[in-house]
Amino acid sequence: MGVIVCRSLVPRPSLIEVALSRTDYADTYYSEFATSRDLAPVDAARAFFRSFPFWVIVLLRIRNAIAALAGLKTGNGAALEEHLSRFTGSRGECVVGFEVFDSSSRELLMGADDRHLDFRLSFFLERIGRGYSISAATAVKFNGWLGRAYFLPVKPLHRVIMPAILARMIRDHLGDVEHA
């Protein structure tokens, strides 16, 4: 049986709900998985950066090339594994342009602020039965018309990319062979 990912409400209480002064777009994706390992939200963040399908990497490279021409920030993917092996999830740490803004025992809040938009991404892990529930929540604040224009083509892609990445995170990095 494959990994089932569905849309959900953001778990409460949460850091992401109050992370931005205003939220113009938000979504949350949820799944459950079995594992005998003890995990923390930082493990979910590491798995996220290791789980991008090839087609997402291609899209991100195209996005970065266009964003650089427009003077927007671009993530640097160089030495990703080296960064992730040292990544502890501490406030202020960065991984390919995603900065850690805050954390708790069940949530890690990352994101970036830029000219066109500010975004936050939270990973939640909750122990359930023989495994965990995991949620990946996104919040976006547009900074004027450029942010709205930028997010117009990103939004439908985001709604495909996030569930795909969450499923890969579980299948390839977090869960045991058997899934809840």
Side-chain angles (χ1 to χ4, degrees):
M1 178 182 202
V3 177
I4 298 170
V5 175
C6 56
R7 289 198 64 166
S8 177
L9 298 174
V10 71
R12 291 197 174 169
S14 74
L15 302 169
I16 196 168
E17 285 186 304
V18 295
L20 297 170
S21 61
R22 179 186 79 249
T23 301
D24 297 310
Y25 174 84
D27 65 24
T28 303
Y29 292 93
Y30 172 90
S31 191
E32 297 177 359
F33 61 95
T35 186
S36 56
R37 296 179 291 154
D38 287 326
L39 298 172
V42 68
D43 297 309
R46 284 190 202 107
F48 172 79
F49 290 107
R50 291 179 172 133
S51 297
F52 286 32
F54 178 74
W55 59 272
V56 172
I57 293 168
V58 170
L59 289 174
L60 287 173
R61 286 183 179 151
I62 293 167
R63 177 259 178 225
N64 286 344
I66 295 168
L69 293 173
L72 303 176
K73 293 179 184 176
T74 62
N76 179 1
L80 177 62
E81 275 304 317
E82 183 182 329
H83 286 285
L84 291 176
S85 68
R86 293 189 319 256
F87 182 63
T88 63
S90 298
R91 187 180 294 215
E93 268 187 290
C94 276
V95 177
V96 292
F98 288 65
E99 179 182 345
V100 175
F101 284 96
D102 207 347
S103 66
S104 69
S105 62
R106 61 190 277 274
E107 179 182 6
L108 181 69
L109 176 68
M110 302 181 78
D113 296 339
D114 205 345
R115 229 178 55 207
H116 64 312
L117 59 76
D118 303 338
F119 77 91
R120 300 295 182 269
L121 175 61
S122 266
F123 300 101
F124 297 84
L125 278 177
E126 296 275 357
R127 178 63 92 167
I128 56 165
R130 297 181 308 114
Y132 289 87
S133 68
I134 184 170
S135 296
T138 304
V140 180
K141 180 182 105 177
F142 304 134
N143 295 326
W145 69 268
L146 185 58
R148 290 186 190 287
Y150 170 86
F151 202 70
L152 197 62
V154 169
K155 183 177 174 179
L157 293 171
H158 173 83
R159 289 180 171 170
V160 172
I161 291 168
M162 284 306 294
I165 291 174
L166 189 56
R168 275 182 82 140
M169 288 167 60
I170 293 167
R171 186 182 64 242
D172 297 347
H173 301 287
L174 299 174
D176 290 344
V177 174
E178 174 191 2
H179 298 289

